Amino acid sequence: MLEIEHVSGGYRPGVTVVHGIDFAVDSGHAVGLIGRNGAGKTCLAQTLLGVLPAHGGSIRLDGTDLTRMRPRERIRHRLALVPEGRMVFPQLSVRENLEMAAFGAGLRLTVDRLRRVEDIFPLLARKAQSRAGTMSGGEQQWLALGRALVQEPKAIVLDEPSLGLSPVAIADLAESLLRIRQQGVALVLMEQNPHLLQRLCDTVLLLDQGQVSSSVDLSTEDGGRLVGAAYLGTAAD
Ligand SMILES: Nc1ncnc2c1ncn2[C@@H]1O[C@H](COP(=O)(O)OP(=O)(O)OP(=O)(O)O)[C@@H](O)[C@H]1O
Ligand SMILES: [Mg+2]
């Protein structure tokens, strides 16, 4: 279980952008955070992974406190990030990108690990030797997710994975993420687009100016309030 308690953070010391964020995600579940441009999604994603230092609060994964760890150590403790804008290595092949990601988690890209990823994203097998920079945005998103998966994560933080994808590609992405969730991975999905959240999440928190202003329980309500949250920045209770 990933437990986020009262986490605050920002891009610079003394300038706090996200405040007092609390949530928990069990393995095999997904929590969403919906917020408009500038709401603090990327700041929170980077704080959870330790790319930015937390200004306060704690981040625990299966009881281990990750809060003071460097990003690489957090990855080795099985927390993975799919960053905003994919951030694949454009000059390297698909296979090399996966090897680098496994290496970052202290793992070798064994046949088994590769098969698990290529089973969910068959395109990554077909394009194993292609340079990542020659692939479409959607294909690079599969690779970005593949890079997280070879790290054998217990939890994955995804920063706007639907950005720039067509509706068809977003629907494909949702199905792939469902399979990953069903394998017991916990997902934290930061999004502006409500569609992916509606398909995947039990609970969606509305992130507004760096704070959680309200939450939507998708097991008991339809996603109507999410659409308001996405477009207006508010979700009336
Ligand atoms: N590198 C940076 N240094 C300082 N402040 C930043 C930096 N990047 C973003 N900010 C500011 O921090 C706040 C949160 O931005 P952030 O990029 O985390 O939000 P976001 O929800 O990811 O937005 P988007 O949907 O545009 O990706 C905004 O006020 C933004 O102007
Ligand atoms: Mg962002």
Side-chain angles (χ1 to χ4, degrees), residues 11 41-43 84 159-160:
Y11 291 96
K41 301 180 295 294
T42 297
C43 180
E84 184 175 54
D159 189 359
E160 289 210 59

mmCIF file of all heavy atoms in Angstrom, residues 11 41-43 84 159-160, ligand 2:
data_model
loop_
_atom_site.group_PDB
_atom_site.id
_atom_site.type_symbol
_atom_site.label_atom_id
_atom_site.label_comp_id
_atom_site.label_asym_id
_atom_site.label_seq_id
_atom_site.Cartn_x
_atom_site.Cartn_y
_atom_site.Cartn_z
ATOM 1 N N TYR A 11 8.884 23.711 -6.029
ATOM 2 C CA TYR A 11 10.032 23.688 -6.936
ATOM 3 C C TYR A 11 11.257 24.359 -6.328
ATOM 4 O O TYR A 11 12.358 24.166 -6.796
ATOM 5 C CB TYR A 11 9.666 24.341 -8.272
ATOM 6 C CG TYR A 11 8.673 23.523 -9.066
ATOM 7 C CD1 TYR A 11 7.312 23.785 -9.009
ATOM 8 C CD2 TYR A 11 9.110 22.466 -9.851
ATOM 9 C CE1 TYR A 11 6.403 23.029 -9.721
ATOM 10 C CE2 TYR A 11 8.213 21.695 -10.570
ATOM 11 C CZ TYR A 11 6.856 21.989 -10.506
ATOM 12 O OH TYR A 11 5.967 21.217 -11.206
ATOM 13 N N LYS A 41 0.030 19.099 -10.301
ATOM 14 C CA LYS A 41 0.128 17.655 -10.556
ATOM 15 C C LYS A 41 1.589 17.219 -10.701
ATOM 16 O O LYS A 41 2.029 16.250 -10.077
ATOM 17 C CB LYS A 41 -0.652 17.276 -11.840
ATOM 18 C CG LYS A 41 -2.132 17.621 -11.790
ATOM 19 C CD LYS A 41 -2.860 17.229 -13.057
ATOM 20 C CE LYS A 41 -2.410 17.982 -14.299
ATOM 21 N NZ LYS A 41 -2.712 19.442 -14.263
ATOM 22 N N THR A 42 2.327 17.942 -11.539
ATOM 23 C CA THR A 42 3.723 17.560 -11.781
ATOM 24 C C THR A 42 4.559 17.758 -10.522
ATOM 25 O O THR A 42 5.396 16.912 -10.182
ATOM 26 C CB THR A 42 4.287 18.369 -12.963
ATOM 27 O OG1 THR A 42 3.523 18.029 -14.129
ATOM 28 C CG2 THR A 42 5.756 18.055 -13.210
ATOM 29 N N CYS A 43 4.289 18.842 -9.812
ATOM 30 C CA CYS A 43 5.013 19.083 -8.556
ATOM 31 C C CYS A 43 4.785 17.918 -7.593
ATOM 32 O O CYS A 43 5.740 17.383 -7.008
ATOM 33 C CB CYS A 43 4.525 20.393 -7.937
ATOM 34 S SG CYS A 43 5.332 20.781 -6.389
ATOM 35 N N GLU A 84 5.583 13.301 -17.004
ATOM 36 C CA GLU A 84 4.895 14.120 -18.001
ATOM 37 C C GLU A 84 5.800 14.231 -19.235
ATOM 38 O O GLU A 84 7.013 14.431 -19.103
ATOM 39 C CB GLU A 84 4.658 15.513 -17.409
ATOM 40 C CG GLU A 84 3.876 16.429 -18.310
ATOM 41 C CD GLU A 84 3.559 17.755 -17.625
ATOM 42 O OE1 GLU A 84 4.490 18.427 -17.128
ATOM 43 O OE2 GLU A 84 2.395 18.120 -17.579
ATOM 44 N N ASP A 159 2.011 10.883 -14.608
ATOM 45 C CA ASP A 159 1.765 12.319 -14.741
ATOM 46 C C ASP A 159 1.204 12.615 -16.135
ATOM 47 O O ASP A 159 1.940 12.629 -17.111
ATOM 48 C CB ASP A 159 3.076 13.077 -14.492
ATOM 49 C CG ASP A 159 2.880 14.589 -14.403
ATOM 50 O OD1 ASP A 159 1.736 15.065 -14.548
ATOM 51 O OD2 ASP A 159 3.891 15.293 -14.188
ATOM 52 N N GLU A 160 -0.093 12.822 -16.197
ATOM 53 C CA GLU A 160 -0.816 13.126 -17.448
ATOM 54 C C GLU A 160 -0.467 12.197 -18.612
ATOM 55 O O GLU A 160 -0.035 12.670 -19.675
ATOM 56 C CB GLU A 160 -0.572 14.583 -17.851
ATOM 57 C CG GLU A 160 -1.299 15.538 -16.914
ATOM 58 C CD GLU A 160 -1.705 16.827 -17.591
ATOM 59 O OE1 GLU A 160 -2.451 16.751 -18.580
ATOM 60 O OE2 GLU A 160 -1.282 17.891 -17.126
HETATM 61 MG MG MG B 2 2.145 18.923 -15.226
#
